[in-house]
Amino acid sequence: MLTTRRVDAYHALTVVAPGIAERFRPGHFVAVAVGGAQTSMLTRRAFSIHDVKPDYSGTVEFVFTVRGPGTAWLAERRARDTLDLVGPLGRPFPLPRDPVTCVLVGGEYGSATLFPVADVLQQRGCRVDFVLGAASADRVFGALRARRMGETTTLTTEDGSLGLRGRVTDVLPGVIADVRADVVYACGPMSMLRGVTAVAVEFDIPVQVAVEERMACGVGVCMTCVLPVIGDDGVTRMVRSCVEGPVFRGERVRFDDVGTIPFDALGAPGGGSRNAG
């Protein structure tokens, strides 16, 4: 491991991982083993990649918050400690080939995922505008970097301690209309992604979301991260966020049914398999 730093309410770890840095695409994530060799914490923790530098030995940075014993252990790591991580994993963001106007919406440390997206978009001549939000100022990630990169940056906090009081979905319609956005990219809590998707659908523009589902294995084996997604054929399937995602077209995710198996899903007890034909 190279460096560890605090960023307001979050921790950012940078590791030397040339193989991951070389193959990284915006939206990929890493799965990190926690607890050390003798631990009873057997499942890995999944973290979105915030930054990569293929030169400088190939470094990868990811951002997280302490939520339990696994991330608490990770927060105690120091430079020169060794980490066991696998990546890059998942399906990255599909990015436009031609210059378009893009609004990037981030909630809490989900914003970290958006900066590699913004880098590539700007390299392709796209306009980038940011909308970042969280409950309080210390939980808004990347505000300064967003202000440097974006044509505009709109910040929201639920307690009014930074930017506008409210949520990203309160200001998003105005931003989309003002900049005449062609597409929305979003990452953050599932409730936020649901609201962002609803706004994008209202404006009839595509929305790509990186979901934050809990992932135990990261490679599609354990099935803990499944969620209902509508396929190209109109059939709902329970798909794995870690393999088929974490990036999905927002309007295809059945956010109201996350955490359940809808009765009409393929193979569901309600007869989804019969409905497939």
Side-chain angles (χ1 to χ4, degrees):
M1 199 162 76
L2 200 60
T3 63
T4 173
R5 61 191 177 101
R6 284 297 299 267
V7 185
D8 294 326
Y10 305 116
H11 298 265
L13 297 188
T14 302
V15 296
V16 178
I20 297 175
E22 188 180 337
R23 301 193 307 277
F24 167 78
R25 297 291 179 273
H28 277 148
F29 67 94
V30 290
V32 184
V34 296
Q38 307 302 318
T39 185
S40 60
M41 294 184 282
L42 301 179
T43 59
R44 292 175 178 267
R45 304 298 189 268
F47 303 107
S48 298
I49 297 173
H50 170 232
D51 201 11
V52 299
K53 292 184 172 60
D55 40 13
Y56 304 111
S57 303
T59 61
V60 175
E61 183 181 72
F62 58 92
V63 178
F64 65 95
T65 187
V66 173
R67 283 188 171 156
T71 44
W73 177 87
L74 201 56
E76 294 168 358
R77 298 309 94 203
R78 294 296 174 260
R80 300 192 181 178
D81 286 351
T82 301
L83 281 184
D84 175 353
L85 69 163
V86 178
L89 299 173
R91 189 177 73 92
F93 281 101
L95 300 173
R97 291 186 180 86
D98 301 315
V100 294
T101 299
C102 310
V103 175
L104 276 53
V105 187
E108 300 185 348
Y109 64 100
S111 307
T113 312
L114 300 176
F115 292 103
V117 179
D119 280 334
V120 177
L121 289 173
Q122 291 183 326
Q123 289 167 18
R124 297 183 181 186
C126 295
R127 172 181 168 135
V128 171
D129 295 86
F130 284 95
V131 179
L132 307 181
S136 54
D138 65 325
R139 305 197 78 81
V140 177
F141 182 85
L144 289 178
R145 187 175 177 187
R147 282 174 168 152
R148 286 198 302 268
M149 293 182 73
E151 290 287 330
T152 66
T153 296
T154 306
L155 306 176
T156 69
T157 47
E158 291 176 34
D159 65 359
S161 54
L162 179 66
L164 302 170
R165 182 185 294 273
R167 301 184 176 186
V168 293
T169 45
D170 297 331
V171 300
L172 183 57
V175 174
I176 290 175
D178 288 346
V179 306
R180 298 183 178 178
D182 298 303
V183 61
V184 172
Y185 295 92
C187 183
M190 294 296 269
S191 57
M192 185 206 89
L193 297 180
R194 175 201 292 179
V196 168
T197 295
V199 172
V201 167
E202 197 176 307
F203 279 86
D204 195 27
I205 59 175
V207 53
Q208 299 285 346
V209 301
V211 301
E212 291 188 349
E213 280 291 279
R214 287 184 177 272
M215 303 174 190
C217 74
V219 293
V221 176
C222 71
M223 307 301 282
T224 59
C225 65
V226 295
L227 74 170
V229 175
I230 303 166
D232 291 339
D233 55 2
V235 175
T236 296
R237 293 174 176 82
M238 301 303 294
V239 304
R240 299 163 296 180
S241 302
C242 66
V243 177
E244 284 85 15
V247 177
F248 296 100
R249 288 170 56 180
E251 73 276 8
R252 295 288 184 87
V253 179
R254 293 176 55 168
F255 286 106
D256 292 342
D257 296 316
V258 169
T260 72
I261 301 177
F263 76 93
D264 58 341
L266 185 65
S273 59
R274 291 193 294 275
N275 295 341

